[in-house]
Amino acid sequence: MSAKVGFSLPLPRRRLPILGVAVDDVTEDEALVQIAALLASGGIHQICTVNPEFVVEAGRNPAFAHVLAHASLCTPDGVGLLLAARYLGYPLRGRVTGVELTRRLAGLAAQGGHRLFLLGAAPGVAEDAAAVLRREHPSLLIAGCYAGSPAPRHEPFLRQLIRATQPAILLVAYGHPQQDLWIARNQALLGVPIALGVGGTFDYIAGRVPRAPRWLRRIGLEWLYRLVRQPRRLPRIIDAVPRFAWQVVRNRGTEEQDRRTEEQRNK
Ligand code: UDP
C-alpha cells in the first residue's frame, strides 16, 4: 500500500516512552503519511530514526535527549524497541527502518517534486545511493550529494552548499548522535523543511554493506549478523542489546508512570 500525500496538517500522534525517549507508534505507511503532512504544513521538521542505541545514548547525553524530545517524528527502528515496548505492556505496531523509510521517502519526493539532498557517508557513497534511488524512482530530483564531515568547523561551508541547492528533504548519514545534533544546529539556518538522520542507510542502499538476511532481521538477530561482519561494532552492540535490555528491566516501574503521563498528554 502506498501512502497518500496532501494532508494539510500533521496527524495526531501516539508516543510511547521508552527509558524517557518518546517513540512514535507508527507503521511505515503512517510515517510516510505523517511526513507528507509535515511537508504540506510548512515549517521546519526534524525526524529521528530511533533504535536502542539512541535510547541508551540519550540517557548519558542530555543534548541528544533534548533533540529527540523535540523531533517532529521519532520512528521506531530496531527490533529491540519493539520487544521492550511489548515487555512494558504497550506494544508498538511496527518497525520503521532508516533504509525502508529512505526508499519510501524517495518515492514520496519523486511523486511530489520535492528535491532530496544526501549528506554524509564516505566519499562517493551518497552519489551511489542517489543513483539507486533514481533507478527506483526515475522522476526523483536529487538536489545534491556530499560526504563532508560532521565537525562543527565544516558547518558554514556545508550550509552554503546545501542552501544553494534548496532541497525540501535532507538526509544526513553521520551516525547518531552526530547526525541528529548536526541537524538540530543547522536545519533552521538552512531552511530545509524536512531533515532526518539516517545512519548507515547510504552504505546499505549503495550496496557497500550487505544487510542481514530478512529472516534474521525478522527474528531480531540483525545485531548478531553485524557483530560477525563488523566486530569493531562490539561496544555499540553492548549498548544496543544487553545494556538496553537491562535498563528496560530495571526501570519498568518508572516507565509505567511515564506512559500514563504521556497518555494524558496524547488525549
Ligand atoms: N559517517 C561519516 N562521517 C563521520 C562518521 C560517520 O560520514 O564522521 C558515516 C559513515 O560513513 C556511515 C554512517 O555515518 O555511513 C554511520 O553508519 P553506522 O552504521 O555507524 O550508523 P548507524 O546506522 O548504526 O547509526
Side-chain angles (χ1 to χ4, degrees), residues 121-170:
V125 176
E127 285 81 353
D128 287 355
V132 172
L133 295 174
R134 291 265 329 251
R135 261 201 307 278
E136 292 174 357
H137 308 283
S139 60
L140 178 64
L141 301 170
I142 299 292
C145 300
Y146 196 71
S149 154
R153 69 176 189 286
H154 294 287
E155 288 178 12
F157 168 72
L158 291 179
R159 280 202 300 269
Q160 213 177 349
L161 181 78
I162 296 166
R163 237 191 334 243
T165 67
Q166 298 191 326
I169 301 172
L170 171 64

Side-chain angles (χ1 to χ4, degrees), residues 51 53-54 120-122 147-150 173-176 179 198-204 226 233 236:
N51 65 30
E53 282 174 64
F54 279 55
S149 154
Y174 284 145
H176 78 285
Q179 60 192 18
V198 294
T201 291
F202 299 167
D203 298 314
Y204 291 115
R226 285 183 163 190
R233 293 183 79 101
R236 298 183 47 180

